[in-house]
Each structure stands twice: as structure tokens, then as C-alpha cells.
Amino acid sequence: MRFSSNVSSWFNVRQELSPERRKIVGWASFLLPILLWCVVSYVPFIWHPMVVVQQAGDVDYFQTDMLVTREVFDEEVANMQNDGKKLPEGKAANPIYLPAPHEVAKAFYTAFTTEPAQKEGLWLHQSLWQSIQVIFWGFFISSLIGVPLGILCGTYSVFSRLFEPFIEFFRYLPAPAFGALMVAILGIYDGPKIAIIVIGTFFQQVLIISNTTRKLDYSLLEAAMTLGTNKFKLLWHVVIPGILPDLYRDLRILLGWAWTYLIVAELIGTSSGITLFITQQARYQHFENVYAAIFIIGFIGLGSDLMLAWLGKRLFAWNKAVNKE
């Protein structure tokens, strides 16, 4: 009875878990996928549709460490049995595009310590820095216009009626579709990449921030106007301070959105940044390096978001929603 009550306490509707339970669930959200990955990688009878050849036997085209499908391997074993020849030996394995966790962990280290294959190639950290700069400038330019416009649309109907219908239409247009056009206008280097991130982020940014601005308690605006505040001061001293914690949270979410456009953006014009590293590694079937690079993007994104969340708690200590994160 006590056990069922204990289990039930984990599922209280709209009630926050205790700090200890939040920590347990937070770790579980990472450990469960890793556990599933380990099971698929290391337990032979779970999936393993391939066989890695250990001894070629009398099969003339088999070589040590060669990866073949299980059907081909079984067929060759049957052929050798029928012909009375030496049988090949092998062990169950997964396809090359699904490396085991330890291989990815090793690639995670060697990707930073291995020299570029080409003489003029970039080290991984240099490629990453290129990508971070593209993300920064894309999000900065988008925010420079999107944040003020979103606040104006959320405060004054005239801006909302003037801009939002077109923005609602434009946000459904896929940003990568503008790639060729951006190359024609801005050249082949970082300009079109930054433009794709701006196009992918800006229109969502305006709508989300205008919606956040509209949620500001109208009684605050009424009180300020009753006291004789003019429209500029109303915006500067009431609206912006009132929405600032939610605006900060919106920008954190939108920054993650900008990251999702990075791979597409970096394929436009001259391939560069982390995307160039990923495509080169995939071309040579070094999929452990591909996974490592993808995880690096995830770690950078999550790390920057956690840092911004930590900063938000200190900037907006009075706001309960920010401090619950």
C-alpha cells in the first residue's frame, strides 16, 4: 500500500517534483537512450543484421573484418558445407552506420586531436568556431529587428494588422528554399548561411514575441495610462520590463531553433563549419565521427541553454516561472 502511494506521488497532476526527483528524472532522460543504444550495440541477439568476418575459410572474396549481411554469410556457410570446404567464421554485428557507444566516445576525443586529412583543411575546433559565428550573426540580426517588431505588434494593433498577416504567410515558406536566391544576392561564403538562419528564425520570432507581449496584464497598462504616461514611456517603462522574463525565455527557445537551421545553411554556397566535417566523414563512412560531431552540436546547444537558464535565474530572481526551470 505504501509502495503504491509512493509510486503515485510521482504522477501528481501539475505538481512539481521534489529537487531530488527532478535530478533523478533528468539523469534518466539521458541514461535511457544511452542504455537502449548499448543494448542494440552490445547484445548480439537484439538486432545485429550483419556479420563481421573473422576467418574467411575457403570463401574467396571474404576478408578479415569484412562486413556482410547475415543472409550472405549463411549462404556462403551452406555452400562451403555442401562442397566440403573450410567454413568461414564471423560474429554478429550491426551496420557500419550504427557504431557502438565506445567507438563514438573514442571518436569524440580523436576528432579534436587528429590533424585534417587535407593540408588546407580545418581542425574540428576551427570548424566549430565557424559554425558558432554563423549562428551568432544570424540570431543577432534576426533579434535586432524581430524583438522590437514583435513588441510593437503585441502592443499596438496598427503594427499587428500591418505586419502579422504577411509574416503568418511567410513563416510557412521553407528557409532552405531561399538558398539559391541568397547565393545569387550575397555570394558563396557566410552571407547566404547567415541569411538562411535569419529567414528561418525571424518570422517565428516576431509572432512568438508579439504573443508574449499580448499576455502582459492589461491592468498594468491601464494604471500607467491613468497616471498620464505617454505612449513611449508606456512601452519603455511598463511593457518591456513586464515581459522581460518571458521575452528572455522566448529568445532561449528561438536560439535553439536557429541551431536547427545550421546544417542546411552551411550546405549553401561553399560548405563550411561543422557541416563540412560531417559530410566529409560521412563520405568516407567514418560514421563514429559523424555521431561525435552531431553530439558536439547537441552539447554546445544544451550547454549554452543551461548557461542562459542559470543567468536568467539571477537576472529575474523575482519571476517564479524562470526559477522553476
Side-chain angles (χ1 to χ4, degrees), residues 208-261:
I208 288 173
I209 292 173
S210 64
N211 191 49
T212 294
T213 307
R214 289 191 191 97
K215 289 179 181 174
L216 181 65
D217 190 348
Y218 191 70
S219 62
L220 292 173
L221 304 179
E222 282 185 321
M225 287 186 286
T226 303
L227 293 171
T229 306
N230 64 42
K231 288 186 171 58
F232 175 76
K233 286 186 176 177
L234 182 78
L235 204 61
W236 191 251
H237 293 291
V238 180
V239 175
I240 293 175
I243 66 166
L244 211 49
D246 292 330
L247 176 63
Y248 184 82
R249 191 173 53 202
D250 288 345
L251 290 178
R252 275 178 51 204
I253 295 169
L254 287 160
L255 180 60
W257 203 315
W259 273 97
T260 62
Y261 284 100

Side-chain angles (χ1 to χ4, degrees), residues 257-274:
W257 203 315
W259 273 97
T260 62
Y261 284 100
L262 176 67
I263 298 296
V264 175
E266 286 189 332
L267 287 173
I268 292 169
T270 306
S271 292
S272 64
I274 190 71

Side-chain angles (χ1 to χ4, degrees), residues 130-242:
Q130 278 189 344
S131 298
I132 290 170
Q133 289 181 79
V134 168
I135 286 284
F136 171 81
W137 286 113
F139 192 70
F140 177 75
I141 293 169
S142 172
S143 300
L144 201 63
I145 308 167
V147 171
L149 187 57
I151 294 172
L152 288 173
C153 288
T155 307
Y156 303 111
S157 290
V158 62
F159 286 102
S160 173
R161 298 290 180 188
L162 182 62
F163 291 107
E164 287 196 50
F166 177 74
I167 290 174
E168 284 279 7
F169 158 75
F170 209 95
R171 77 187 177 103
Y172 287 104
L173 306 184
F178 293 87
L181 183 64
M182 291 300 108
V183 169
I185 297 171
L186 300 170
I188 59 171
Y189 297 107
D190 285 348
K193 307 177 202 312
I194 293 169
I196 291 299
I197 291 175
V198 172
I199 293 171
T201 310
F202 171 76
F203 300 99
Q204 317 291 342
Q205 197 170 31
V206 173
L207 295 176
I208 288 173
I209 292 173
S210 64
N211 191 49
T212 294
T213 307
R214 289 191 191 97
K215 289 179 181 174
L216 181 65
D217 190 348
Y218 191 70
S219 62
L220 292 173
L221 304 179
E222 282 185 321
M225 287 186 286
T226 303
L227 293 171
T229 306
N230 64 42
K231 288 186 171 58
F232 175 76
K233 286 186 176 177
L234 182 78
L235 204 61
W236 191 251
H237 293 291
V238 180
V239 175
I240 293 175

Side-chain angles (χ1 to χ4, degrees), residues 10-210:
W10 283 76
F11 301 96
N12 292 327
V13 178
R14 290 195 176 181
Q15 285 188 18
E16 188 53 273
L17 296 171
S18 65
E20 292 76 20
R21 288 183 174 184
R22 286 207 301 268
K23 196 175 289 184
I24 291 170
V25 175
W27 279 108
S29 71
F30 284 93
L31 292 176
L32 285 176
I34 293 173
L35 180 63
L36 179 63
W37 186 15
C38 288
V39 169
V40 173
S41 298
Y42 298 128
V43 182
F45 52 83
I46 293 294
W47 185 40
H48 291 65
M50 312 293 288
V51 174
V52 59
V53 177
Q54 294 175 309
Q55 294 289 337
D58 284 335
V59 182
D60 52 3
Y61 69 93
F62 273 9
Q63 295 177 0
T64 305
D65 294 333
M66 183 180 178
L67 203 62
V68 296
T69 61
R70 188 174 290 181
E71 289 77 16
V72 169
F73 186 82
D74 291 343
E75 186 181 338
E76 292 300 337
V77 169
N79 290 338
M80 293 301 107
Q81 278 178 334
N82 293 335
D83 296 343
K85 295 181 178 178
K86 188 178 178 183
L87 300 181
E89 295 177 12
K91 66 175 182 179
N94 278 330
I96 194 170
Y97 59 76
L98 185 65
H102 75 277
E103 293 173 317
V104 176
K106 184 180 174 187
F108 201 88
Y109 170 74
T110 55
F112 282 100
T113 56
T114 306
E115 286 188 20
Q118 297 176 344
K119 193 175 180 182
E120 296 180 355
L122 297 177
W123 287 73
L124 179 58
H125 67 274
Q126 292 173 316
S127 298
L128 269 175
W129 180 238
Q130 278 189 344
S131 298
I132 290 170
Q133 289 181 79
V134 168
I135 286 284
F136 171 81
W137 286 113
F139 192 70
F140 177 75
I141 293 169
S142 172
S143 300
L144 201 63
I145 308 167
V147 171
L149 187 57
I151 294 172
L152 288 173
C153 288
T155 307
Y156 303 111
S157 290
V158 62
F159 286 102
S160 173
R161 298 290 180 188
L162 182 62
F163 291 107
E164 287 196 50
F166 177 74
I167 290 174
E168 284 279 7
F169 158 75
F170 209 95
R171 77 187 177 103
Y172 287 104
L173 306 184
F178 293 87
L181 183 64
M182 291 300 108
V183 169
I185 297 171
L186 300 170
I188 59 171
Y189 297 107
D190 285 348
K193 307 177 202 312
I194 293 169
I196 291 299
I197 291 175
V198 172
I199 293 171
T201 310
F202 171 76
F203 300 99
Q204 317 291 342
Q205 197 170 31
V206 173
L207 295 176
I208 288 173
I209 292 173
S210 64

Side-chain angles (χ1 to χ4, degrees), residues 298-308:
F299 288 138
I300 292 174
L302 179 63
S304 60
D305 188 66
L306 289 175
M307 191 175 68
L308 291 171

